[in-house]
Amino acid sequence: MKALQAYVDQKNTWSKMFGGRVLDLKSAADRKRIAESIDCELSPENLSCDGELSRAEVNRRFKHLTRCAEELLSIDPSVTIHELY
């Protein structure tokens, strides 16, 4: 659950800087938002920054996001992450 918590902490840091809403893993609605965010970041265009990133960086991001998705699904199997499959 370490990777997922780090992901949420990073999202919350950016959210706080811009006056946004803080996400909480205890909330079902927030878990859905986190799943949507992970799903968005796993899309090929976003994952590779439209082909601008190196293959190694894309692989690193993919592994991290996949680990976060798996941890989130272990907490809440009802969330959907389309790009994971």
Side-chain angles (χ1 to χ4, degrees), residues 17-85:
M17 284 195 322
F18 293 105
R21 193 168 169 279
V22 174
L23 299 170
D24 184 7
L25 285 170
K26 295 175 186 171
S27 164
D30 285 350
R31 287 192 303 269
K32 183 178 178 192
R33 284 188 185 95
I34 293 165
E36 290 168 352
S37 179
I38 291 171
D39 195 35
C40 180
E41 289 186 47
L42 276 170
S43 77
E45 296 84 9
N46 291 333
L47 190 62
S48 68
C49 290
D50 291 326
E52 296 294 320
L53 296 180
S54 69
R55 184 177 196 146
E57 179 61 20
V58 172
N59 287 337
R60 187 195 66 75
R61 285 181 177 204
F62 179 78
K63 285 179 185 178
H64 174 69
L65 290 168
T66 301
R67 187 170 39 249
C68 291
E70 290 169 350
E71 289 177 6
L72 182 59
L73 286 168
S74 73
I75 294 171
D76 187 352
S78 70
V79 298
T80 305
I81 303 174
H82 300 286
E83 294 289 341
L84 189 59
Y85 305 106

